[in-house]
Amino acid sequence: MKETPRTVRIAVGLWLAIAVFVLFTTAGLWFQRGQVQELTKWSSGQVTSFLLTLTVIAVLFAAAYAWLTRTFLRRKNWARIALSTVAVVHMIWILFLGVSAANLVTLLLICAAIVFTWQSAAAQWVAEVREQ
């Protein structure tokens, strides 16, 4: 069995970085809850509800990225498709939330991960399993 191509290793690193970054960004919002309340003029309960919703969604995205990345490493082509689909949904979610530095970084990481996931070396690496 051939060694994992560099593009696949980079893609895997980017997908896992996205998962971790999303969790850390969401955790950071909990520490800034006073600023969130001040900016939005929401009650404490509304801010808590908003942050809980963001946390649940962030955990779901992170879990999906982690599981699908692991599956991609097992050379399952459908995992590449699923990763890209989850990423597009995630990008739409980010655009729905609004502009911030953290969201911009996440969008850039997602774009880079998709590019590396669909490089020809990654496609050939996944296809080798089907040929055996």
Side-chain angles (χ1 to χ4, degrees):
M1 194 176 290
K2 206 166 106 177
E3 183 181 319
T4 307
R6 184 171 188 252
T7 56
V8 172
R9 291 192 311 266
I10 292 170
V12 166
L14 287 168
W15 289 121
L16 295 177
I18 293 165
V20 170
F21 187 73
V22 166
L23 292 175
F24 278 125
T25 302
T26 305
L29 286 174
W30 282 94
F31 291 105
Q32 297 174 340
R33 89 180 253 117
Q35 291 173 321
V36 172
Q37 187 170 359
E38 193 176 298
L39 285 170
T40 59
K41 308 290 188 227
W42 291 344
S43 70
S44 180
Q46 288 173 310
V47 171
T48 300
S49 177
F50 174 72
L51 291 176
L52 281 173
T53 302
L54 283 181
T55 301
V56 167
I57 292 170
V59 167
L60 289 174
F61 277 124
Y65 286 133
W67 178 69
L68 290 169
T69 299
R70 185 171 181 222
T71 307
F72 174 46
L73 276 172
R74 292 183 176 158
R75 295 181 164 191
K76 303 294 184 189
N77 192 52
W78 64 265
R80 290 189 325 149
I81 297 165
L83 274 167
S84 299
T85 303
V86 168
V88 168
V89 170
H90 192 182
M91 290 169 86
I92 293 168
W93 171 252
I94 288 170
L95 293 173
F96 172 74
L97 287 178
V99 178
S100 74
N103 286 348
L104 180 60
V105 169
T106 306
L107 288 172
L108 291 173
L109 286 170
I110 288 172
C111 290
I114 289 172
V115 167
F116 280 101
T117 299
W118 290 97
Q119 290 284 317
S120 61
Q124 290 170 352
W125 179 74
V126 170
E128 284 176 1
V129 172
R130 288 181 275 178
E131 293 171 1
Q132 295 175 356

